[in-house]
Amino acid sequence: TLQLPPVNDPITQVSFRVKADDASDVSLVVSVGGQVKDLNGNALDVTSSTPVEVDTINPDAPVIVVTDGAATQAEAGSGVFSVTGEVGSSIAVTLTGANTTVVNKVINGDGSAQTVTLSSQDVADLGEGPVQVSAAQTDEHGNLGVSSSDSFELDTVAPVADIAAADDVASTGVVTDADADGSVTVTVSFDEDM
């Protein structure tokens, strides 16, 4: 209850501040009561105001689910992770590549998992290697929540294969009848795990 002191001078407005704690989500109702009269002595019709919503509760961290831990450019274009936030929130998604390049996305939260896709330019900017994903949401009333994070790997470089023949094959690189007795051992080596 807020008690205003008697006012002798004419006024048309009274302002006051109500402080809510960090976990308030109840409505605020302002009522005017007591002896309130205009300059001609007419009493105020005492009524309650329309409730004012109070929301100082920060939203939870968005949920990030990585569905492809090692993504090619095509896979990144169709989405390798999803983000879920509360209805009406704005979710800021930040991706940081191995070369410290940052790509930002903004998603409107609808309460369901939303797939985040990357353009070919996003993939090029992030570069080959690990990508750190973080997301934080601001609810419809402007309360900012804590962030969540996850990661995935971008693998956009095609592997290189080295083919080598053994069994005393001539150094010409061509297998002839003279090189082997009808069979030759061929070894294929890759520059990365397959």
Side-chain angles (χ1 to χ4, degrees):
T1 301
L2 175 67
Q3 180 73 36
L4 297 175
V7 177
N8 296 324
D9 295 325
I11 60 170
T12 57
Q13 178 178 322
V14 174
S15 298
F16 56 92
R17 180 177 295 274
V18 178
K19 183 171 173 114
D21 66 26
D22 283 340
S24 296
D25 66 351
V26 296
S27 295
L28 171 67
V29 177
V30 177
S31 299
V32 178
Q35 298 285 330
V36 179
K37 296 180 182 179
D38 66 15
L39 293 177
N40 295 319
N42 298 311
L44 174 70
D45 180 17
V46 179
T47 59
S48 292
S49 71
T50 303
V52 176
E53 186 174 355
V54 176
D55 178 3
T56 62
I57 297 176
N58 295 335
D60 292 332
V63 176
I64 300 172
V65 176
V66 173
T67 54
D68 190 345
T72 64
Q73 182 164 339
E75 292 166 336
S78 61
V80 296
F81 68 96
S82 65
V83 178
T84 305
E86 72 179 44
V87 175
S89 68
S90 175
I91 306 168
V93 179
T94 303
L95 298 101
T96 306
N99 58 4
T100 67
T101 299
V102 174
V103 172
N104 294 305
K105 303 276 184 181
V106 176
I107 300 168
N108 294 320
D110 66 3
S112 68
Q114 298 182 64
T115 300
V116 178
T117 59
L118 301 178
S119 69
S120 56
Q121 186 61 54
D122 292 339
V123 172
D125 289 347
L126 291 168
E128 181 84 1
V131 176
Q132 184 68 34
V133 180
S134 65
Q137 65 181 328
T138 302
D139 69 17
E140 62 186 330
H141 299 115
N143 299 308
L144 176 62
V146 297
S147 63
S148 55
S149 64
D150 207 334
S151 63
F152 65 92
E153 191 90 13
L154 268 179
D155 183 4
T156 60
V157 177
V160 175
D162 180 44
I163 302 172
D167 296 337
D168 299 322
V169 173
S171 60
T172 62
V174 177
V175 178
T176 64
D177 288 341
D179 290 326
D181 294 331
S183 68
V184 175
T185 301
V186 177
T187 303
V188 180
S189 302
F190 300 99
D191 67 340
E192 62 181 87
D193 291 340
M194 302 300 291

